[in-house]
Amino acid sequence: MGGPVRPVASALALVAVAGSLLTGCDSGSHTAGCGPAPSADVSQADLYGSYLGPHGARLELTAVGGTSVTFSVKNWPKEEGPGILTQKVPTFDGAGVWKLLNAPGEDGEVGLAFDGLDTSARGATVTELRVGQEDGRTVLFARLGDPDVCRVLTLS
């Protein structure tokens, strides 16, 4: 009686595993294992510096003194969808202030508040980045588009 059920259950388990390997994400959270390993317990001082992304995108996180932290971008994508990974999209240069959005002990997340960004004219852009580790280096990244498909913008 149990003979035919076992092969079917095994086949279903293989399909589930294969699906998670193809997307780079596990079936539990749809984002775990997708992109760099997240980092918790990061401070602003850990993040100062320059980060480079696809198609010449550049992000500079700086400190002006005290608790005021600023950023500037060059060739920053005017869009936030997965297309920014594979094709050249319209870009802009800008600046603003940034801050850590996570509570202590949670995975690091950086919020970018652009000065004078007219979202109706420019469209949506990437304004939140996660903090991660890749090859022993701190990187910033954003998961783009459908959470069932692993597409990650990484700035290193």
Side-chain angles (χ1 to χ4, degrees), residues 3-56:
V5 174
R6 202 170 282 161
V8 171
S10 296
L12 289 175
L14 282 173
V15 168
V17 169
S20 68
L21 291 174
L22 289 174
T23 63
C25 304
D26 72 16
S27 59
S29 69
H30 299 288
T31 56
C34 179
S39 294
D41 296 324
V42 294
S43 70
Q44 288 179 337
D46 296 329
L47 301 175
Y48 297 139
S50 297
Y51 299 86
L52 301 175
H55 308 294

Side-chain angles (χ1 to χ4, degrees), residues 46-69:
D46 296 329
L47 301 175
Y48 297 139
S50 297
Y51 299 86
L52 301 175
H55 308 294
R58 180 181 183 93
L59 170 66
E60 180 83 27
L61 300 178
T62 58
V64 178
T67 58
S68 180
V69 288

Side-chain angles (χ1 to χ4, degrees), residues 51-60 71-81 83-85 87-95 112 114 117 122 124-126 129 153-155:
Y51 299 86
L52 301 175
H55 308 294
R58 180 181 183 93
L59 170 66
E60 180 83 27
F71 73 91
S72 63
V73 294
K74 299 272 188 217
N75 297 316
W76 198 250
K78 289 183 181 178
E79 302 172 11
E80 65 176 340
I84 66 176
L85 299 174
Q87 58 192 335
K88 185 82 170 137
V89 297
T91 62
F92 68 99
D93 297 344
L112 305 175
F114 286 90
L117 180 65
R122 295 194 186 272
T125 188
V126 177
L129 298 162
L153 167 69
T154 303
L155 302 162

